[in-house]
Amino acid sequence: MEFMQPLDWEEALEVKAAHPEARPIFGGTDVMVELNFGRERPEVLMDLTRVPELREWGEEDGRLRIGAGVTYTRIIEELKERLPGLAMASRTVGSPQIRNRGTVGGNLGTSSPAGDALPPLYVSGAEVEVASVRGVRRIPVEEFVRGPKRNALREDELILSFLLPGARGPQQYAKIGPRNAMVIAVCSLGLALDPERRELGVCIGSAGPTPIRAREAEGFIRGVLEEENLWESRGEIGESALARFGELVAGAAKPISDVRGTAEYRRHAVAVLARRVLRWAWEEYREGR
């Protein structure tokens, strides 16, 4: 195996152009597992940890632009106020050591439906910025992730950053696993409220080939909030509406049975998570937090 370590972004793109087969690595929390179990043996391993552009974040045209090498720990410490849903998801990733190394860029590159960072990106309408020596393009995250460990990256492209707006209202993330920590999600759910626009987004994780936006459930609960004037009154969402919301979210899931859980259990759990996170987010909104 050949090992390469570019020192800046331009050099990284040149290496990728010359070696399309090169496997990029930053935190290594996914790649090293594959290597250690002999599931993957790339001819070229490209370490990107010395590329400064990947570790930067800032604002651009009213959105946050976050480098693919920004770790989960930094998202928790530096962006929890602006991106509470993504920070919540980041707290559920592995152990402190994994969070210190792992990145959202790696989650995007792996494109696992169980990736904890993905549901918060989906509900925020994030874009993935990718680049090659030919130029830069931005892809909506729902178009970027195409299936289990499949995405829209071309062979000479690398992930540079992702862009998304700061939270416009309460956000929540929850997941279920066979234990409380250091676990891959059996299923997960991200939710975001946007009171100013009277919008709500919900995304299911680890219960389909990709994360799934529950569009019918979103439309249903928007209708309830409008019809009952709840945005203005900040009244409670009724139990029957919460139950129906959970049913519709579960109906959008496309789970399979595997070693972590059955399809039936995943559907049930998704419905429970949907009710919980909507209630939690709505309580935040009612209390003005």
Side-chain angles (χ1 to χ4, degrees), residues 23 30-41 149:
R23 187 76 157 90
D30 287 331
V31 174
M32 293 310 299
V33 172
E34 299 297 307
L35 294 179
N36 289 338
F37 280 95
R39 298 173 187 150
E40 185 176 341
R41 194 68 180 174
K149 299 190 176 181

Side-chain angles (χ1 to χ4, degrees), residues 23-197:
R23 187 76 157 90
I25 185 171
F26 198 98
T29 58
D30 287 331
V31 174
M32 293 310 299
V33 172
E34 299 297 307
L35 294 179
N36 289 338
F37 280 95
R39 298 173 187 150
E40 185 176 341
R41 194 68 180 174
E43 295 180 13
V44 181
L45 196 64
M46 179 168 53
D47 175 28
L48 298 173
T49 54
R50 294 193 178 185
V51 177
E53 293 90 338
L54 296 176
R55 298 192 299 270
E56 300 169 354
W57 69 267
E59 292 190 28
E60 180 182 296
D61 298 327
R63 294 192 296 175
L64 293 166
R65 182 174 178 271
I66 303 170
V70 174
T71 64
Y72 294 113
T73 296
R74 288 184 60 201
I75 287 171
I76 296 165
E77 293 176 350
E78 300 171 25
L79 289 161
K80 63 184 177 182
E81 301 297 331
R82 299 187 185 203
L83 300 172
L86 186 59
M88 288 178 189
S90 298
R91 290 189 192 100
T92 74
V93 175
S95 62
Q97 296 93 328
I98 295 296
R99 294 192 290 273
N100 287 342
R101 294 288 303 178
T103 66
V104 176
N107 233 192
L108 287 164
T110 300
S111 298
S112 166
D116 290 305
L118 299 184
L121 298 187
Y122 272 60
V123 298
S124 296
E127 287 187 316
V128 185
E129 185 176 37
V130 304
S132 69
V133 293
R134 295 176 290 106
V136 177
R137 61 192 183 114
R138 292 178 176 178
I139 310 164
V141 67
E142 291 186 53
E143 297 175 16
F144 179 81
V145 180
R146 293 184 172 177
K149 299 190 176 181
R150 293 191 298 110
N151 58 50
L153 273 177
R154 295 168 182 158
E155 64 176 9
D156 63 341
E157 288 181 325
L158 295 170
I159 299 172
L160 173 56
S161 68
F162 59 96
L163 300 94
L164 71 171
R168 302 186 182 107
Q171 297 181 344
Q172 286 288 335
Y173 176 82
K175 79 178 185 182
I176 290 176
R179 60 183 184 180
N180 288 333
M182 295 178 65
V183 66
I184 298 172
V186 173
C187 62
S188 63
L189 202 84
L191 183 141
L193 294 180
D194 185 346
E196 183 177 339
R197 301 183 183 186

